[in-house]
Amino acid sequence: MLIPEIVKILTDAGIEENEANIEVKLLIEHFCGYSLVDILMGKKLPEDKLKIVEEKAKYRASTKQPIQYIIGQADFMGEKFFVNPSVLIPRDETELLVRKAIEVIEKNNFKAALDMCTGSGCIACMIAKLTQCQVIGADISSEALHTAFSNMEKFELFNKAIFRKSDVYSKIRDDEKFDIIVSNPPYVAPKFKAEIQKEVSFEPELALYTSDEKGLEFYEKITKDSPKFLNTGGYLLFELGIGQSRDVAEIMHNYGFKDIQVLKDLANIDRVIFGRLN
């Protein structure tokens, strides 16, 4: 089978052609060890390796499982992170959150950060890698924390990115103080569960859904107790779901945050909100 025929397996399953080409490239890189340069230079893929790629493409087409779970890794901010169905797949929108956090950290010379609902640890790891901050990543899922720890080891962030099992602040000590708290929390209301696309249904419900009707549960929980753990002048940053910016801004204002600002993503959607503790 030729590579264009493998791409067709995906396009016939409803995957857009450009995305299908990218996914086949990822399969070839991961399962065959061939780069795009190898392919462009005319390096032939052995039939047995092509067969593996074909089988994985058929599995992707029939199940709709995200390609990142099939290969066990996802690109984020120029790095490859371990992922599996116990963690959310890092998305481009989350890069906006991380880049803003890094900007705030560097501007204020912050040294201590907390990443709430850390999941794969991609946020915590990139902040630890690109700043002088020591970062604690907290999550209630033991399986997610195993993945986060693997990513920390991969990037050799020992004693810079530290992970801890915690139901929001339950295992954060009273004497632990942070300059910045950042979070991409669950923010999908349960009513949208039936409408979610098939690929997203493979991701952990614990990291996606809230128990309230507006998807604001974790914004409230995290913001409410954040003043206990933030130093004066510290910052709180969230990734937002669609249509949530006004509600989250009100929550942050109610708990003492000032200079609240919202950043839009490339689709002109309110995606990141941040404010400073007065």
Side-chain angles (χ1 to χ4, degrees), residues 91-102 104 123 180-185 187 219 236-242 244-246 248-249 252 259-266 268-275:
R91 290 168 169 80
D92 292 343
E93 294 87 349
T94 305
E95 291 194 16
L96 183 63
L97 175 70
V98 177
R99 293 189 191 284
K100 186 62 190 181
I102 291 170
V104 171
I123 293 173
I180 184 170
I181 297 174
V182 60
S183 181
N184 178 18
Y187 55 65
Y219 296 117
L236 176 63
L237 292 84
F238 286 117
E239 181 171 324
L240 294 165
I242 295 173
Q244 294 178 323
S245 59
R246 287 188 179 181
V248 177
M252 292 175 68
D259 304 326
I260 297 168
Q261 298 179 53
V262 174
L263 302 178
K264 294 182 181 293
D265 62 19
L266 293 175
N268 204 36
I269 294 169
D270 290 352
R271 187 58 68 184
V272 170
I273 190 167
F274 62 98

Side-chain angles (χ1 to χ4, degrees), residues 109-222:
N109 196 29
F110 286 160
K111 300 298 183 185
L114 173 63
D115 173 25
M116 189 62 73
C117 308
T118 195
S120 68
C122 64
I123 293 173
C125 286
M126 292 311 296
I127 290 174
K129 186 174 189 294
L130 298 175
T131 74
Q132 295 303 308
C133 264
Q134 183 184 66
V135 188
I136 291 179
D139 204 289
I140 195 171
S141 167
S142 298
E143 292 79 10
L145 290 169
H146 285 309
T147 306
F149 190 83
S150 296
N151 283 316
M152 180 276 293
E153 286 186 313
K154 177 180 180 179
F155 297 110
E156 299 182 346
L157 295 168
F158 303 97
N159 296 320
K160 280 214 72 184
I162 300 163
F163 296 100
R164 185 182 302 174
K165 185 171 183 177
S166 183
D167 183 0
V168 193
Y169 297 103
S170 65
K171 299 301 180 182
I172 307 299
R173 301 191 309 271
D174 288 342
D175 63 338
E176 289 182 302
K177 302 297 180 184
F178 304 93
D179 299 310
I180 184 170
I181 297 174
V182 60
S183 181
N184 178 18
Y187 55 65
V188 181
K191 63 184 177 183
F192 295 116
K193 192 172 181 179
E195 304 171 15
I196 215 82
Q197 68 182 91
K198 180 65 175 177
E199 281 85 352
V200 178
S201 70
F202 285 90
E203 300 190 76
E205 292 191 358
L206 193 65
L208 286 171
Y209 299 106
T210 65
S211 61
D212 69 304
E213 294 182 359
K214 297 181 74 174
L216 301 173
E217 175 187 5
F218 286 93
Y219 296 117
E220 177 80 27
K221 287 181 177 180
I222 294 168

